Amino acid sequence: NAGVTQTPKFQVLKTGQSMTLQCAQDMNHNSMYWYRQDPGMGLRLIYYSASEGTTDKGEVPNGYNVSRLNKREFSLRLESAAPSQTSVYFCASSTRTSGYNEQFFGPGTRLTVL
Amino acid sequence: DAKTTQPPSMDCAEGRAANLPCNHSTISGNEYVYWYRQIHSQGPQYIIHGLKNNETNEMASLIITEDRKSSTLILPHATLRDTAVYYCIVRPLSSGSARQLTFGSGTQLTVLP
């Protein structure tokens, strides 16, 4: 199992450009998440998807959109990138079938907006 | 979710036990204590969780006080690869809908050779 994979690993954008961060998991998990981590800070939730076909806002959703394409894939889109969105983005997944909610994280995408 | 307080940094000698404390004085009865760690530049990794009993797995032990207001994560024989930021998170058991993790600033554990 590859676990949670993210593409790209690194990206540099100019202000106003758009891009989509891709995330896929092969663990048959129902729930998927997008977090951002700014330097020296903990992770903050952007959006999550409790199950295929549903998405909900997290703590910091402004400037982002998401798509739960199928059970495996959950993408994060920046429509008009801003320097404040320079961050490391982590995707995670978890299963709802067990009593607790251990989350598995991908390796991250390092995004710089100039 | 209950707020947690952790020391910002700790050092530990290689081969010795690392004891990482966490205060969660406002924890409620249905909230679990989770520990994750984040090795530099990697995604966070789940370590262990517990409700009120002490727990042990292949990575660590979790000791929760009887009043549940604090806990300690124990890495029994720390190695250089255990150098990471350790996050203590308190949250309810998943109730059938996704529950996000709220990460604070954690404890930077440095294992010294």
Side-chain angles (χ1 to χ4, degrees):
Chain A
N1 283 354
V4 179
T5 57
Q6 294 183 235
T7 56
K9 286 189 170 59
F10 300 93
Q11 184 70 49
V12 178
L13 293 178
K14 294 181 180 178
T15 297
Q17 287 185 314
S18 62
M19 79 160 295
T20 300
L21 282 65
Q22 306 288 352
C23 174
Q25 52 90 11
D26 62 1
M27 296 174 283
N28 201 36
H29 284 170
N30 289 309
S31 302
M32 298 185 74
Y33 312 80
W34 277 105
Y35 293 86
R36 62 176 285 175
Q37 185 174 35
D38 299 330
M41 306 284 288
L43 279 72
R44 292 184 293 169
L45 184 70
I46 305 171
Y47 271 93
Y48 67 98
S49 170
S51 60
E52 187 178 354
T54 69
T55 60
D56 287 285
K57 295 179 181 179
E59 182 185 354
V60 288
N62 291 345
Y64 305 95
N65 285 301
V66 290
S67 294
R68 183 74 183 268
L69 304 170
N70 47 54
K71 192 170 186 179
R72 289 187 64 248
E73 298 172 290
F74 188 38
S75 63
L76 179 72
R77 182 160 179 84
L78 287 70
E79 290 290 352
S80 178
S84 60
Q85 294 178 303
T86 293
S87 191
V88 181
Y89 291 84
F90 291 102
C91 177
S93 70
S94 67
T95 179
R96 287 166 51 189
T97 58
S98 61
Y100 64 94
N101 200 350
E102 173 188 349
Q103 292 188 14
F104 295 82
F105 285 81
T109 294
R110 282 146 187 81
L111 175 67
T112 301
V113 183
L114 302 175
Chain B
D1 296 350
K3 180 178 168 57
T4 61
T5 303
Q6 300 177 253
S9 64
M10 293 182 63
D11 292 339
C12 175
E14 188 177 19
R16 305 296 295 267
N19 297 285
L20 293 94
C22 179
N23 285 318
H24 31 79
S25 59
T26 60
I27 193 170
S28 59
N30 70 338
E31 290 184 313
Y32 280 65
V33 180
Y34 290 75
W35 283 84
Y36 281 73
R37 73 179 182 183
Q38 187 174 24
I39 296 170
H40 182 62
S41 298
Q42 298 182 21
Q45 176 190 24
Y46 166 83
I47 301 173
I48 198 167
H49 77 285
L51 181 62
K52 53 184 177 182
N53 297 321
N54 297 340
E55 302 288 344
T56 296
N57 63 20
E58 64 277 5
M59 288 183 67
S61 294
L62 174 60
I63 309 298
I64 303 174
T65 58
E66 192 168 342
D67 63 8
R68 303 210 322 122
K69 293 185 176 182
S70 65
S71 60
T72 301
L73 178 74
I74 300 172
L75 307 179
H77 305 287
T79 70
L80 299 178
R81 287 176 293 181
D82 291 321
T83 292
V85 178
Y86 287 77
Y87 296 98
C88 170
I89 299 166
V90 173
R91 46 164 285 182
L93 193 67
S94 176
S95 59
S97 61
R99 292 283 303 184
Q100 61 268 34
L101 296 170
T102 301
F103 287 79
S105 49
T107 296
Q108 171 66 59
L109 174 69
T110 302
V111 181
L112 304 171

